[in-house]
Amino acid sequence: MPRTEWANQAIREQRQAQIRSVAARLFAHNGYVGTRIEDIAQAVSMSKGLLYHYFGSKAELYTTLVDRASRGTVQLFEDAMNRPGTAAERLRWLVTQIVEGLAEQPDMFMVVMQALVSDAVPSEAHDQAIRFAHRVQDLIRAFIREGQQTDEIIAGNREQLALLLGFCIQGLAVAHAIGGAVPPITEALIGLFTGRHGSSAT
Amino acid sequence: MPRTEWANQAIREQRQAQIRSVAARLFAHNGYVGTRIEDIAQAVSMSKGLLYHYFGSKAELYTTLVDRASRGTVQLFEDAMNRPGTAAERLRWLVTQIVEGLAEQPDMFMVVMQALVSDAVPSEAHDQAIRFAHRVQDLIRAFIREGQQTDEIIAGNREQLALLLGFCIQGLAVAHAIGGAVPPITEALIGLFTGRHGSSAT
Amino acid sequence: MPRTEWANQAIREQRQAQIRSVAARLFAHNGYVGTRIEDIAQAVSMSKGLLYHYFGSKAELYTTLVDRASRGTVQLFEDAMNRPGTAAERLRWLVTQIVEGLAEQPDMFMVVMQALVSDAVPSEAHDQAIRFAHRVQDLIRAFIREGQQTDEIIAGNREQLALLLGFCIQGLAVAHAIGGAVPPITEALIGLFTGRHGSSAT
Amino acid sequence: MPRTEWANQAIREQRQAQIRSVAARLFAHNGYVGTRIEDIAQAVSMSKGLLYHYFGSKAELYTTLVDRASRGTVQLFEDAMNRPGTAAERLRWLVTQIVEGLAEQPDMFMVVMQALVSDAVPSEAHDQAIRFAHRVQDLIRAFIREGQQTDEIIAGNREQLALLLGFCIQGLAVAHAIGGAVPPITEALIGLFTGRHGSSAT
DNA sequence: TATGAATGAGGATTCATTCAT
DNA sequence: AATGAATGAATCCTCATTCAT
């Protein structure tokens, strides 16, 4: 009965996506160790036992999450870098994409950050997060270099500017995860690195 | 005859300081839930029992840590704001102090950040961290405003610039906590917010 | 397919009853603090973990026990007081019921007594036991008064006779709990308070 | 320096008596397992370490307590039995002595009762308490027999009456230990077993 | 004699994971 | 596919006891 099988497969993936989404929220707020399988199961209204039909273990679920989120983010950065347009335009596109992503999934990025910082996570997730951070940093550095060559990005030590730009993006993500309303900040961020500052109106 | 009162007091404070220092490192890397009392005890070469002689519970130890670190950091920001000198000088002093503090105690700040972000920490610590974040953000905003009034700080929306400056400082702390060597970044940071950028030499 | 709701419910109640019964025995002999959850679990042939599936904590289990036993005993006293028949008949019924109850569950009463006497038990259990003792004492006093009005109970200060009758019933329960064979004592007890003593044959 | 030694010895015994008294109170209310050495030390305003100069261990302290209290009580019963006078007079003397003893040391008896009932006490204390209970029960039985032979004690099965008299005395002790004011009950108790009841005035 | 720092075994509780149904 | 009963290793915390001073 191929149709049934196909339907099953569809349901399976739908369920997995749902679990990932809910798990991301819980992991982001409670950390890997602080999140219980029971919590996740309850949040998706299914039994613990059933959860294990969809994910082999807590570690696997977490690692999958980190993997997807970090791959997705790297992809986003690569797309931004490879776009046509001025540095400011590309940076605007990137930050806009990130902010939009954070608006619908404020937790994914946070999970990656925790995996990056913490030793108390599955080592695969930790390693993946570190690779992610390096890759992103490389992309940012490349972006800065290109921007400086066309005088679109302010002068200064590339390595340092890249770090600072990374900090700003990371801070943006953390601010979204904490939960309070984050004011639109994109233009200020772009201004900071392009040297074209707006007026001081509040 | 018993040890003198004074000797006991000295032992107590010495031990407590030692525990705080080690605990900060472990909490920073493993989170509140992921850090075992046993780990801390071993790292200070003392038995679990003795640790409980000095701190009533894991929660109390953690909360004490967050409390001290956040109070200290707020104090640092206040001192920086109240100094004489140009905005650039004061910002330089602040960042220098922070970087130096991070050099000796790279973990304290990280603990506060986790307490800020995570729900899986003692609620007192979480609340304290939130108060801390608001206070610091207020101080940064005030600093930005003053700097803009004397044209020492770049133009732009104060609220947004304050957030971005906060992000940079926070990113600096996270970078230190992760462990890799962090290049000196102070001047680049100052340049970003004063609009006086150096040359693009790597 | 999961077990039916009904089956689960049945398992739960069966297990809980089993745990209560065994726990009563251990608590009666070792006290609240002296009884280990591990002991109870082993005595019911289940893992500690499973026990916590059925009772949230040692304190909750104990309190439940005290609650049930004291409610049941008060009910027994009320039933005895509200029966038709002479004072002697009602007292006989009560003591008979108590002795029968002690024969199947010699420990329940003892648990209530410990909760009454000890400060080292959950305060809810302690309070409940104190309320229980007062209520029972009131019922006994009322019984004595009625019996004296119809000259079925010996003359004498009601308050004092009520205490003494209470002591005798309590002593009966303690004697059963200790474990040795307790000789039938009902008629002697009734004779004591009705003034109709049998012969002195051993 | 014999005088110093003698003085030391006196202090030592004084301290031990103080410790016994305080420990009795705590053991009576919290049980053997529920009472911590630290609690006792604090209650006598001395350090844990010093306490161990006076008693080798918690078990030893407890056992000593049970031993002294049970020996003393048996002695009291023997004295009562061996006195001249009618059964009523001897019973009155005994109960009076017990009530007076309970007034100044309400806890000693309770400790023996717990040692009797509980398995969670040092086995020596438990055994001693059981021997005590048997001995007292024998003495009461002998008293009843003698009293019945001279028609001073009501007729009825000796064994059963002895148990009931024991229950009453035990109940008295428990009532004192619980703490509320216990009304004078001596005469009612004597009346119960001699068959000479007072009037029913409240 | 006197203190309290120090130890470590023991006990309550949690939670990832498995499994019978 | 679905449930939750069942397990036990892991973790927090306590406390009797010892010992340096």
Side-chain angles (χ1 to χ4, degrees), chain A residues 88 91-93 95-96 184-194 196-198, chain B residues 160-161 164:
Chain A
L91 184 53
R92 178 173 297 113
W93 184 85
V95 176
T96 305
I185 208 172
T186 314
E187 293 308 320
L189 200 167
I190 294 167
L192 216 53
F193 288 87
T194 56
R196 309 180 142 266
H197 317 302
Chain B
Q160 298 174 18
L161 285 177
L164 287 168

Side-chain angles (χ1 to χ4, degrees), chain C residues 146-167:
Chain C
E146 292 174 25
Q148 285 181 331
Q149 283 168 352
T150 56
D151 278 335
E152 293 173 285
I153 295 289
I154 58 173
N157 179 288
R158 277 205 291 278
E159 175 76 22
Q160 297 175 20
L161 286 177
L163 274 172
L164 287 168
L165 179 49
F167 290 169

Side-chain angles (χ1 to χ4, degrees), chain C residues 29 117 119 155-157 160 184 198-199, chain D residues 29 110 119 155-156 160 184 198-199 202:
Chain C
H29 286 275
V117 164
D119 290 348
N157 179 288
Q160 297 175 20
S199 70
Chain D
H29 286 274
M110 197 65 206
D119 290 346
Q160 297 175 19
S199 69
T202 300

